[in-house]
Every structure is written in structure tokens, then in C-alpha cells.
Amino acid sequence: MALQITESCGIFCVHGTLNLNNATILSRHIGRYLGSDRRIIINLERLSEIDANGALALKRLYDFAVTRNRTLTILGSANERVFSLLNKTNTTYILGTNQA
């Protein structure tokens, strides 16, 4: 399934596959909103697949938010595929209640 990003009230739900082919799409899309003072939530619960490139893109978004003092919350610990891959890439710290 292709990557889909839907937004409602500052919550961005990511559906489908997040990988090398589309990680930059997510980064650019969310990056536009991180320039504002809005609180951003990325929900990965409906992601069906993720690879290391997708995890790296999420880590970069998180790091960008931290350096810009923006609020970013990434949800996805209940999605076993997401949690497992982030665990393998040592990036689980970006999940849950951690906020940038």
C-alpha cells in the first residue's frame, strides 16, 4: 500500500508503507508544519510496514523539532511492526509520551 497522510486537528495519521521510496514525502509534509508553533502529532498506528529509512526520517523530524523547540509527539508503540523496527534501530525514544 502506498503512503497516505491524513490530517485532522493537528494529528497526522500515516497509513500504508513508510520506506526508502517515500520517507522524504513524509519528511517534507510534516516539516512544513514544524515551522509553525502548532503542536504536531504523528500517529503511526495504521502503518502496515516501515523500514530503516522510514525510521531515520522519523528520527530526523524528531531531532528537527527538538532543535527548533517545537512540540512533536510520535505515536506508534501499539503497532508491533513500528515498535519492532524502531527497537532494532535504537529510535524507540521518539515514541509515546516523549515530546520534542
Side-chain angles (χ1 to χ4, degrees), residues 19-88:
N19 59 27
L20 172 66
N21 298 323
N22 57 26
T24 56
I25 293 169
L26 177 69
S27 295
R28 288 181 187 157
H29 186 76
I30 301 298
R32 286 185 222 142
Y33 294 94
L34 285 174
S36 70
D37 289 334
R38 288 177 56 175
R39 176 187 171 112
I40 304 295
I41 299 170
I42 301 173
N43 184 339
L44 305 175
E45 299 297 338
R46 295 186 184 191
L47 207 59
S48 60
E49 190 176 322
I50 185 171
D51 69 4
N53 295 293
L56 180 60
L58 292 167
K59 180 189 176 303
R60 287 182 179 153
L61 283 169
Y62 183 86
D63 291 343
F64 179 82
V66 168
T67 60
R68 301 294 191 282
N69 199 26
R70 301 293 187 229
T71 302
L72 173 66
T73 303
I74 301 174
L75 306 174
S77 58
N79 183 327
E80 184 57 38
R81 289 184 178 123
V82 170
F83 187 79
S84 177
L85 194 281
L86 293 182
N87 194 36
K88 288 178 186 175

